[in-house]
């Protein structure tokens, strides 16, 4: 009788767990399964979405792709979604005020979930989750491990320390704990130092764009290392898309210069190259953003700046502080020299805001 009861109890528990359906490797949660999912999974990322939300629809394929990658790797991390319009009690419990809202739950703790704030591509999501659920910096035993991390990442930061207890190494680990959206690795390998031609302990940022790598040369403080990463982790010019928007608006650089340029223009590449040339002087100070004025999805941004498609190419500068302030260059000549002069004037406090009628 006792054995039969035990079998029945286990069957009931399995049935409860089976009640949590999946769509493309993403758990579909409701109020009566949410807390069970927290118990079942040590690490759980949950998207609160609305079916009509355009941003949620754009995110869906990348979110599902990330879930598939993690599940395929046998990871302890699972991804889930909640229709916040149907599950209003859950949305209220977790302070959902906009869509999508994405929260990370660890060890079943629902009291203070971490807000997801990285990019909207599958690789960004996977990297952020691995960083949040693993060590701040992966131990890289040899040059092959360093190469594997660098090759697998759009951006990666590696600390090369023959003395892991040095001041630079300690600051490196503090920064690794603080930065969520980039993978960090640490190595004491002599062969790794040799392969990357390093003659002293160094912090190196590797990236698959622009100059390819940057080596930290500043004062050994947490703030200086973070500023070094902030200045180098994004391309000199980043295109505004649904996927890059979180990196653009969620970053620490709050002064942006926007270049509205149609990709269909015959001199598109020349003009973009000039814009990129100007950007080199303002790394870490002003974020240079390219916006395809041909793209219908970008028309609302043109309207926000009082621009029409036929007025492009055009440049505007905006500060995203408590009050957004816009600036407009006086000349329509958008050469690298003129764009640089415009940004220099802003940093020197010589520009007057552009007030639209």
């Amino acid at each position: 009788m006792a054995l039969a009861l035990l079998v029945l109890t286990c069957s009931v528990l399995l049935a409860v767990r089976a009640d949590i359906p999946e769509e493309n490797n993403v758990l579909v949660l409701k109020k009566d399964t949410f807390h069970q999912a927290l118990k079942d999974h040590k690490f759980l990322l949950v998207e609160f979405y609305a079916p009509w939300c355009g941003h949620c629809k754009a995110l869906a394929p990348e979110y599902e792709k990330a879930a598939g990658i993690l599940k395929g790797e046998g990871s302890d991390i699972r991804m889930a979604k909640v229709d916040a319009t149907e599950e209003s009690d859950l949305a209220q419990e977790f302070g959902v005020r906009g869509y999508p809202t994405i929260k990370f739950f660890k060890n079943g703790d629902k009291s203070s979930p971490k807000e997801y704030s990285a990019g909207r591509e599958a690789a960004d999501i996977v990297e952020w989750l691995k960083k949040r659920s693993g060590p701040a910096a992966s131990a890289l035993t040899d040059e092959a491990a360093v190469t594997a991390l660098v090759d697998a990442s759009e951006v990666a930061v590696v600390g090369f320390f023959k003395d892991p207890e040095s001041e630079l190494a300690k600051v490196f680990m503090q920064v690794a704990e603080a930065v969520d959206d980039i993978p960090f690795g640490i190595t004491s390998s002599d062969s790794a130092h040799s392969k990357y031609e390093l003659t002293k302990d160094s912090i190196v940022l590797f990236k698959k764009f622009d100059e390819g790598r940057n080596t930290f040369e500043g004062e050994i403080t947490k703030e200086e290392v973070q500023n070094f990463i902030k200045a180098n982790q994004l391309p000199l010019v980043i295109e505004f898309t649904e996927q890059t928007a979180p990196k653009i608006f969620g970053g620490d650089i709050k002064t942006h210069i926007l270049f509205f340029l149609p990709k269909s223009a015959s001199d598109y590449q020349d003009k973009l190259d000039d814009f990129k040339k100007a950007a080199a002087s303002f790394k870490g100070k002003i974020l240079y953003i390219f916006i395809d004025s041909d793209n219908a999805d970008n028309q609302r941004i043109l309207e926000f700046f009082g621009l029409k498609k036929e007025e492009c190419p055009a440049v505007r500068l905006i500060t995203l502080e408590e009050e957004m302030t816009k600036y407009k260059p006086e000349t329509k000549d958008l050469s690298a020299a003129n764009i640089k002069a415009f940004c220099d004037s802003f940093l020197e406090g010589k520009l007057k805001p552009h007030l639209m009628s």
Side-chain angles (χ1 to χ4, degrees):
M1 180 68 180
L3 179 60
L5 184 60
L6 177 62
V7 170
L8 178 61
T9 302
C10 290
S11 299
V12 169
L13 288 173
L14 288 172
V16 169
R17 283 172 172 78
D19 280 342
I20 302 180
E22 291 186 22
E23 290 180 2
N24 298 318
N25 301 306
V26 176
L27 299 169
V28 181
L29 303 182
K30 296 183 178 295
K31 184 179 180 180
D32 58 350
T33 57
F34 191 93
H35 300 291
Q36 184 61 55
L38 288 182
K39 291 179 184 177
D40 287 350
H41 303 292
K42 185 177 180 181
F43 306 110
L44 188 67
L45 186 73
V46 182
E47 176 202 5
F48 295 86
Y49 73 96
W52 44 260
C53 168
H55 295 294
C56 302
K57 292 175 183 177
L59 173 65
E62 294 296 320
Y63 196 79
E64 292 167 359
K65 182 179 175 183
I69 291 170
L70 292 168
K71 192 175 180 182
E73 292 177 351
S75 172
D76 289 338
I77 308 166
R78 290 303 307 271
M79 294 173 60
K81 62 182 180 179
V82 171
D83 182 344
T85 64
E86 293 273 339
E87 305 297 326
S88 55
D89 288 347
L90 282 177
Q92 185 174 359
E93 181 179 353
F94 295 108
V96 176
R97 295 183 177 84
Y99 307 112
T101 293
I102 308 172
K103 294 181 180 285
F104 179 60
F105 298 84
K106 189 173 180 178
N107 296 322
D109 180 10
K110 62 176 185 175
S111 62
S112 55
K114 175 73 177 177
E115 198 87 18
Y116 177 80
S117 58
R120 298 289 172 91
E121 295 182 1
D124 298 322
I125 298 169
V126 170
E127 196 53 63
W128 189 92
L129 286 169
K130 287 183 176 179
K131 187 75 184 293
R132 274 280 153 195
S133 58
S138 303
L140 308 174
T141 55
D142 53 29
E143 62 175 279
V146 176
T147 300
L149 176 67
V150 171
D151 289 349
S153 311
E154 182 75 6
V155 178
V157 181
V158 180
F160 296 83
F161 306 114
K162 292 185 179 177
D163 177 10
E165 297 302 316
S166 68
E167 184 184 357
L168 185 61
K170 290 176 181 176
V171 168
F172 172 82
M173 290 305 298
Q174 291 172 6
V175 175
E177 291 280 358
V179 177
D180 287 335
D181 56 345
I182 302 175
F184 281 66
I186 185 168
T187 184
S188 300
S189 162
D190 289 336
S191 63
H193 276 76
S194 297
K195 176 180 173 63
Y196 292 100
E197 301 177 342
L198 298 169
T199 57
K200 62 179 182 178
D201 284 2
S202 302
I203 297 172
V204 182
L205 184 145
F206 296 92
K207 55 193 180 184
K208 288 187 166 65
F209 48 83
D210 296 341
E211 62 270 53
R213 64 184 271 188
N214 307 96
T215 302
F216 177 69
E217 301 288 355
E219 185 183 349
I220 303 174
T221 66
K222 179 181 176 182
E223 183 181 11
E224 284 296 306
V225 175
Q226 284 182 301
N227 286 340
F228 158 76
I229 293 170
K230 177 179 71 175
N232 293 291
Q233 72 179 100
L234 292 176
L236 278 174
V237 174
I238 184 167
E239 180 175 359
F240 179 86
T241 66
E242 190 80 41
Q243 287 71 38
T244 61
K247 293 181 181 179
I248 291 169
F249 295 114
D252 293 327
I253 303 173
K254 298 303 182 186
T255 300
H256 299 171
I257 184 167
L258 314 177
F259 190 25
F260 298 90
L261 173 69
K263 283 187 175 181
S264 60
S266 58
D267 57 352
Y268 157 75
Q269 193 58 55
D270 290 339
K271 281 188 162 48
L272 193 62
D273 288 345
D274 271 353
F275 189 61
K276 187 172 183 178
K277 194 182 298 181
S281 301
F282 301 96
K283 285 169 65 173
K285 299 174 184 175
I286 299 176
L287 198 58
Y288 272 58
I289 302 163
F290 156 64
I291 297 176
D292 179 10
S293 56
D294 277 341
N295 190 325
D297 292 340
N298 293 332
Q299 295 313 301
R300 57 192 172 84
I301 306 174
L302 271 78
E303 291 169 9
F304 178 75
F305 286 93
L307 282 168
K308 298 177 182 177
K309 282 178 64 175
E310 51 269 26
E311 295 177 279
C312 299
V315 160
R316 295 293 186 271
L317 189 145
I318 185 169
T319 56
L320 303 177
E321 304 298 344
E322 288 185 10
E323 291 186 12
M324 287 190 289
T325 309
K326 305 168 190 175
Y327 300 87
K328 174 185 176 181
E330 292 181 0
T331 177
K332 292 185 178 180
D333 179 1
L334 302 179
S335 65
N338 283 340
I339 293 171
K340 182 180 181 303
F342 176 58
C343 291
D344 281 332
S345 294
F346 168 77
L347 293 177
E348 293 164 6
K350 295 178 179 178
L351 293 185
K352 292 182 178 179
H354 172 55
L355 303 176
M356 298 191 304
S357 57

